[in-house]
């Protein structure tokens, strides 16, 4: 049985076998207390070993990090913080861990644990993070299934840059320095595997729209890649995106879906990851003690999650938000790092001010300037703005970006020319505007950004099992 299941049993001296990794071992003259964890829960099961009943050589191998199995009677425990323990009758060693095992029972820095990513799952912090990550991923699929969506797998290898910007990773079978050249001296991609230049995808959105134009409601949930040289706590080169696309949805429907979606998945985590979230909350509270008073969070982790699910999101236009920001105290006192004016791409500090200080609730901004948004967004009648929306959260700023998509062929073609994209590269996308076009909308949510918000982890590299960042592909 998994330790999570064992801990839910009423201890009645029934014989139980538990298997896992040793977290700690401490002893008295004739008794050893061994804490075992198998990853199914943040809680350990305590195994009580009578040293006279177990071979001395075997007992020596029971060290932190060793993998063992114990069989014995499940009895009520007199120890604090545990209801039951196993009085060991037999013990087996599956794998020893020598004195060089780096994850000892003491506090390790997150930077150190990133260097030990192959072992960091065994710590309380990362066990909790990845159980919460699983719950959130499951909730994503559960939500969209209940809403009548179809899960569509869009290509990982693509010949289009959905965003019209952003560095991409090239996919090629050419040997380095041996790529064939055409008559102009350029790499001749017609001789490459796909017969053209291809890259790892930055988004499944464009292909997702094609699915929505027949299946009505689809969502993608897959890996995406950005080759930007961003060494920050918020950027990864490989990350996962959730991108729903819906036919017959206008901007208002899109906003409602986004709000319902994040409330649902966060609510699922709150309900199903109580122990892990409480542990992560206490970890954050410890961390906060070392910060100056003015830098401490006003809300605990669980309060912050409830803050999202218990509030109706405030909805306003980009123009209204800019007016609020210009009149705000931080702007008047020149405390914002970035100046505010109509037409700028709002920074995280501006978004967080709106959420945390002004409205004190999550915010959805709509109708952004056309010039700072992607070519596929539906243009408003004013000719200056598009039907874009961004969902803003406390502590993080933008968590969702989306829009109503431009369904008018001529307007889309004009915009493509305006931003300098070759229409030949998007002929298939444009054809959906010629053959039975429909109003449609969609959005994208970076999954790691969501996991970071729910777990309270400060660095995005700590919410994906093996982070891919500039100069780092170790594991």
């Amino acid at each position: 049985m998994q330790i999570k299941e064992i801990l839910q049993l009423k201890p009645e001296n029934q014989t139980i076998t538990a298997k896992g990794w040793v977290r700690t071992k401490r002893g008295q003259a004739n008794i050893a207390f061994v804490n075992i964890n198998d990853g199914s829960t943040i809680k350990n099961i305590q195994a009580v070993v009578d040293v006279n009943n177990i071979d001395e050589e075997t007992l020596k191998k029971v060290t932190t990090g060793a993998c063992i199995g114990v069989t014995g009677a499940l009895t009520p425990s007199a120890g604090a913080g545990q209801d039951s323990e196993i009085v060991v009758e037999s013990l087996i060693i599956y794998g020893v861990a020598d004195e060089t095992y780096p994850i000892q029972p003491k506090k390790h820095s997150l930077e150190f644990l990133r260097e030990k990513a192959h072992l960091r799952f065994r710590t309380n912090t990362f066990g909790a993070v990845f159980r919460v990550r699983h719950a959130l991923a499951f909730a994503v699929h559960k939500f969209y299934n209940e809403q009548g969506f179809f899960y569509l797998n869009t290509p990982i290898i693509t010949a289009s840059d959905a965003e019209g910007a952003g560095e991409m990773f090239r996919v090629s079978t050419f040997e380095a320095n041996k790529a064939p050249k055409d008559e102009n001296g350029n790499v001749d991609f017609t001789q490459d595997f796909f017969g053209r230049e291809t890259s790892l995808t930055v988004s499944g959105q464009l292909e997702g729209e094609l699915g929505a134009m027949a299946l009505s409601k689809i969502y993608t949930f897959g890996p995406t890649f950005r080759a930007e040289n961003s060494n920050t706590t918020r950027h990864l080169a490989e990350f996962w995106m959730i991108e729903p696309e819906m036919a017959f949805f206008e901007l208002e429907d899109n906003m409602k879906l986004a709000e319902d979606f994040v409330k649902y998945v966060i609510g699922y985590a709150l309900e199903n990851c109580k122990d892990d979230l409480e542990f992560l909350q206490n970890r954050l509270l410890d961390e906060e003690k070392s910060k100056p008073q003015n830098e401490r969070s006003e809300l605990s982790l669980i309060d912050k999650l409830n803050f999202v699910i218990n509030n109706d999101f405030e909805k306003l236009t980009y123009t209204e938000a800019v007016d609020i920001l210009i009149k705000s105290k931080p702007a008047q006192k020149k405390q914002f790092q970035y100046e505010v004016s109509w037409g700028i791409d709002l920074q995280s500090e501006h978004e967080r001010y709106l959420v945390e200080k002004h409205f004190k609730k999550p915010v959805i901004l709509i109708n952004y300037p056309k010039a700072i948004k992607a070519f596929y967004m539906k243009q408003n009648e004013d000719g200056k703005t598009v039907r874009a929306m961004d969902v803003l959260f406390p502590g993080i700023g933008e968590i969702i970006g989306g829009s109503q998509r431009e369904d008018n062929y001529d307007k889309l073609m004009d915009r493509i020319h305006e931003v300098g994209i070759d229409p030949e590269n998007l002929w298939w996308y444009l054809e959906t505007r010629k053959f039975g076009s429909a109003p449609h909308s969609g959005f994208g949510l970076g999954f790691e950004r969501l996991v970071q918000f729910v777990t309270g982890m400060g660095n995005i590299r700590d919410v994906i099992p093996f982070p891919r960042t500039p100069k780092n592909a170790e594991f």
Side-chain angles (χ1 to χ4, degrees):
M1 292 175 76
Q2 286 194 299
I3 288 169
K4 183 178 182 178
E5 298 169 304
I6 294 172
L7 292 172
Q8 289 167 353
L9 296 174
K10 186 178 179 187
E12 296 175 323
N13 290 314
Q14 63 270 52
T15 300
I16 288 288
T17 297
K19 300 174 183 180
W21 291 268
V22 176
R23 285 291 176 84
T24 60
K25 175 187 169 189
R26 56 193 173 80
Q28 296 169 354
N30 297 313
I31 302 267
F33 299 97
V34 182
N35 275 320
I36 307 168
N37 188 284
D38 66 357
S40 61
T41 170
I42 199 156
K43 294 176 178 174
N44 306 320
I45 187 87
Q46 179 168 277
V48 181
V49 183
D50 184 334
V51 298
N52 300 309
N53 294 343
I54 304 294
D55 174 68
E56 189 181 340
E57 283 306 305
T58 301
L59 206 54
K60 276 183 186 172
K61 294 174 184 171
V62 179
T63 59
T64 297
C67 185
I68 69 171
V70 296
T71 299
L74 187 70
T75 63
S77 174
Q82 58 200 26
D83 296 326
S84 56
E85 60 192 17
I86 298 173
V87 177
V88 176
E89 291 157 17
S90 65
L91 186 153
I92 185 169
I93 308 284
Y94 292 111
V96 296
D98 66 24
E99 65 279 358
T100 64
Y101 178 64
I103 314 295
Q104 292 298 322
K106 62 178 185 178
K107 193 164 185 175
H108 295 287
S109 73
L110 297 176
E111 291 80 5
F112 170 79
L113 291 172
R114 268 174 234 136
E115 294 169 9
K116 310 290 179 192
H118 57 308
L119 298 170
R120 67 177 181 168
F121 302 106
R122 299 195 199 178
T123 64
N124 282 335
T125 297
F126 287 96
V129 166
F130 292 112
R131 281 188 294 270
V132 172
R133 183 181 169 110
H134 159 78
L136 289 168
F138 180 77
V140 168
H141 290 295
K142 194 167 184 285
F143 172 81
Y144 285 114
N145 188 59
E146 289 171 8
Q147 296 289 324
F149 280 67
F150 299 105
Y151 178 36
L152 195 73
N153 300 113
T154 52
I156 290 171
I157 299 171
T158 179
S160 72
D161 176 355
E163 299 295 322
E167 297 294 319
M168 301 176 79
F169 290 101
R170 182 175 292 138
V171 175
S172 174
T173 56
F174 289 154
E175 285 187 57
N177 303 321
K178 290 186 183 176
K181 303 287 174 68
D182 62 19
E183 57 197 24
N184 298 318
N186 299 317
V187 174
D188 183 6
F189 285 103
T190 61
Q191 295 185 49
D192 206 352
F193 187 90
F194 293 106
R196 62 190 301 178
E197 188 172 3
T198 53
S199 304
L200 295 177
T201 187
V202 297
S203 167
Q205 180 204 313
L206 301 190
E207 294 88 349
E209 285 186 51
L210 313 184
M213 287 296 100
L215 299 169
S216 288
K217 295 195 291 188
I218 69 91
Y219 72 105
T220 76
F221 187 174
T224 49
F225 308 85
R226 303 277 167 97
E228 289 153 17
N229 192 14
S230 297
N231 244 324
T232 77
T233 57
R234 296 176 52 149
H235 290 93
L236 291 165
E238 175 186 286
F239 54 99
W240 288 66
M241 285 280 284
I242 298 148
E243 297 173 292
E245 292 291 329
M246 300 76 64
F248 317 115
F249 270 50
E250 305 218 2
L251 186 62
E252 293 70 26
D253 308 305
N254 205 21
M255 287 193 284
K256 183 178 187 313
L257 182 77
E259 182 171 348
D260 291 348
F261 168 51
V262 290
K263 285 182 172 179
Y264 181 97
V265 295
I266 291 170
Y268 184 89
L270 279 166
E271 197 174 319
N272 292 277
C273 304
K274 287 188 178 75
D275 290 342
D276 288 320
L277 289 173
E278 280 174 15
F279 169 82
L280 291 166
Q281 174 170 269
N282 291 333
R283 182 193 158 274
L284 267 180
L285 290 171
D286 279 347
E287 220 176 60
E288 294 268 296
K289 287 174 188 171
S290 62
K291 292 181 182 176
Q293 194 70 39
N294 62 330
E295 287 180 26
R296 294 181 190 177
S297 175
E298 291 176 24
L299 296 172
S300 71
L301 178 62
I302 291 169
D303 285 343
K304 188 174 67 170
L305 302 182
N306 282 313
F307 172 89
V308 169
I309 62 176
N310 294 334
N311 276 300
D312 290 331
F313 292 10
E314 188 72 31
K315 299 164 185 74
L316 69 157
T317 66
Y318 167 92
T319 303
E320 290 167 335
V322 167
D323 287 343
I324 289 167
L325 289 165
I326 287 171
K327 291 170 185 168
S328 71
K329 274 185 185 172
Q332 300 290 323
K333 293 181 176 178
K334 300 203 179 310
Q335 290 170 337
F336 283 137
Q337 188 181 345
Y338 297 92
E339 205 173 317
V340 183
S341 61
W342 198 95
I344 67 156
D345 210 350
L346 296 180
Q347 299 294 321
S348 180
E349 60 176 345
H350 307 138
E351 295 167 340
R352 289 183 60 184
Y353 174 82
L354 293 168
V355 174
E356 296 166 27
K357 305 295 183 193
H358 189 81
F359 290 109
K360 297 192 184 326
K361 58 169 73 171
V363 169
I364 305 181
L365 293 187
I366 63 168
N367 297 342
Y368 279 76
K370 180 172 78 169
I372 61 171
K373 288 295 182 182
F375 73 92
Y376 49 72
M377 297 189 176
K378 187 165 183 65
Q379 297 171 47
N380 284 316
E381 295 299 317
D382 61 14
K384 294 192 304 179
T385 61
V386 288
R387 305 210 81 199
M389 68 164 206
D390 282 351
V391 180
L392 314 179
F393 268 19
I396 205 163
E398 182 204 331
I399 195 161
I400 284 177
S403 73
Q404 188 170 337
R405 314 312 191 189
E406 184 55 78
D407 53 282
N408 180 288
Y409 179 86
D410 294 328
K411 284 185 176 179
L412 185 59
M413 182 63 94
D414 287 347
R415 185 78 177 118
I416 280 176
H417 284 303
E418 206 176 290
V419 298
I421 295 172
D422 183 353
E424 277 301 301
N425 293 336
L426 289 175
W427 65 270
W428 43 271
Y429 185 72
L430 286 158
E431 278 200 354
T432 58
R433 275 64 176 176
K434 285 167 65 179
F435 306 147
S437 188
H440 61 291
S441 299
F443 59 80
L445 167 71
F447 185 55
E448 282 72 28
R449 194 70 68 85
L450 174 68
V451 180
Q452 210 182 342
F453 178 77
V454 174
T455 59
M457 298 301 284
N459 193 317
I460 203 162
R461 298 171 196 208
D462 296 328
V463 297
I464 192 167
F466 305 103
R468 296 290 177 253
T469 53
K471 304 285 188 289
N472 178 37
E474 181 70 28
F475 299 95

